[in-house]
Amino acid sequence: MAFVAATKNKVRGSQGQFPLTQNVTVVEGGTANLTCRVDQNDNTSLQWSNPAQQTLYFDDKKALRDNRIELVRASWHELSISVSDVSLSDEGQYTCSLFTMPVKTSKAFLTVLGVPEKPQITGFTSPVMEGERMQLTCKTSGSKPAADIRWFKNDKEVKDVKYLKEEDANRKTFTVSSTLDFLADRNDDGAVVSCRVDHESLNSTPQIAMQVLEIHYTPLVKIISSNSWPEEGQSIILTCESKGKPVPEPVLWTKDGGELPDPERMVVNGRVLSISFLNKTDNGTYRCEAKNPIGRNSTEYVLIVHDVFNTLLPTTVIPSLTTATVTTTVALTTSTTTSATANSTRDPNALAGQTGPDHALIGGIVAVVVFVTLCSIILLGRYLARHKGTYLTNEAKGAEDAPDADTAIINAEGSQVNAEEKKEYFI
């Protein structure tokens, strides 16, 4: 494969007689075509010679015994030859001569590109433990000029790498190496690390070496609950998801640091823990533990079983604050307090299972009752203040000594002055 340079080389001369040549670039092992043209020629001979000034062709006559060199075309206006299986030693300046008086010449430089060898990745040992430092080296030799090496991880280029270029023993080609340095992470497990060699001789088709990473790491554990608000009498399923490499062994379930207390209701099936007919005794911390040859890990889930009554309580106290509602609320509060006391007597852990929102609800109910009671007292006091009255006793009216009603009225009118001393008030 040859690449013809755009620059034309010519030697100026009189009467328009001068040879024209072009620089040529060819990949090692390819074929180079050297052409010398003359626009005006009065039957003057043309000649090609190599960098060692050895004549290759004089017109159509071959002068050097080299089977790689062949005549392509010979005429008064053109002399073209080809050099096959080009090697790095063929590189140099070739001369086309036009035998006029004086002799006119034109130079064509032949550039030979050294093709880099297929790259290789070294330094990888399988498997690698998470947290260990990895140093992968990509190396290629025989490139001319020096090749470029780029690293990729899952098709994403990695920039922070080391690059080293060394000249080969022939002092013409180069050996290039690049080192990728990083800490092994569980996210890198299964990742494809590739080393890409770019060079102009590869005709836009880079050479690539790949390595699949295998990272071993401790399990990652997570518990997923099937019920976000478990209540008494319901069921709950706790699933322990564990991911690790190697694959973790079957998980271990515990409650409050010990074995599951009720195997009949608490059934373990692989990674799943099922608890049926929930009650307050099920409150506690459930732990799921997974392990593999690298290590072990665990996570916890705090189970709080709620009363069904607590779920219905907020809808009971929503109606308007009438006397009947307040009475019902007080009764419910008393019932709740009694129930909580009874539960705490039966199970010391029952109170520990109560949540913050239940206490807040009870406190709110008590506040409403106190508020309504104070309002009722204030309204009653204002009513009595507005309807305060007086009356006269029989003694003040003089009705005891009156023989009849008319006399009692007359005596009462005459006794208005003394009646002030015998007034009685409603309080």
Side-chain angles (χ1 to χ4, degrees), residues 174-335:
F174 295 89
T175 296
V176 181
S177 62
S178 179
T179 302
L180 176 63
D181 191 343
F182 63 98
L183 292 178
D185 184 82
R186 64 182 61 200
N187 295 324
D188 293 331
D189 182 51
V192 178
V193 174
S194 59
C195 161
R196 171 175 166 175
V197 176
D198 293 312
H199 194 263
E200 53 187 304
S201 66
L202 299 177
N203 194 23
S204 302
T205 305
Q207 294 182 342
I208 300 176
M210 295 186 296
Q211 178 66 60
V212 179
L213 302 183
E214 183 181 1
I215 312 296
H216 284 191
Y217 54 92
T218 57
L220 179 65
V221 186
K222 179 174 64 174
I223 295 178
I224 299 177
S225 172
S226 65
N227 193 340
S228 60
W229 186 265
E231 299 176 354
E232 287 185 305
Q234 295 181 350
S235 298
I236 190 172
I237 297 176
L238 301 179
T239 303
C240 181
E241 291 188 351
S242 60
K243 180 182 179 182
K245 194 166 186 179
V247 177
E249 300 174 2
V251 299
L252 174 65
W253 283 98
T254 59
K255 177 180 183 293
D256 296 330
E259 297 182 355
L260 299 177
D262 193 345
E264 294 184 359
R265 292 188 306 107
M266 302 177 178
V267 180
V268 176
N269 185 10
R271 304 180 184 278
V272 178
L273 170 61
S274 302
I275 307 177
S276 58
F277 303 106
L278 291 172
N279 57 64
K280 291 293 184 177
T281 62
D282 297 327
N283 289 344
T285 301
Y286 292 79
R287 177 189 295 269
C288 168
E289 181 180 282
K291 65 178 181 178
N292 62 7
I294 310 302
R296 63 180 62 198
N297 201 354
S298 64
T299 188
E300 296 180 345
Y301 177 84
V302 178
L303 175 61
I304 300 176
V305 180
H306 302 273
D307 293 330
V308 178
F309 172 75
N310 287 340
T311 306
L312 301 176
L313 187 57
T315 60
T316 308
V317 298
I318 287 179
S320 59
L321 297 176
T322 60
T323 305
T325 302
V326 172
T327 304
T328 304
T329 303
V330 173
L332 288 175
T333 305
T334 305
S335 176

Side-chain angles (χ1 to χ4, degrees), residues 121-178:
I121 297 177
T122 58
F124 179 75
T125 56
S126 182
V128 178
M129 305 303 168
E130 183 179 27
E132 290 185 359
R133 181 168 294 279
M134 297 184 63
Q135 287 187 336
L136 304 181
T137 300
C138 178
K139 186 176 182 180
T140 180
S141 302
S143 60
K144 177 183 172 295
D148 183 31
I149 296 180
R150 301 162 65 189
W151 285 96
F152 293 85
K153 183 187 291 185
N154 287 338
D155 298 328
K156 183 178 180 180
E157 186 172 3
V158 181
K159 295 289 187 179
D160 188 14
V161 295
K162 298 178 181 179
Y163 183 83
L164 179 63
K165 178 177 70 174
E166 297 176 336
E167 192 176 54
D168 293 336
N170 58 16
R171 304 186 66 83
K172 293 183 178 181
T173 58
F174 295 89
T175 296
V176 181
S177 62
S178 179

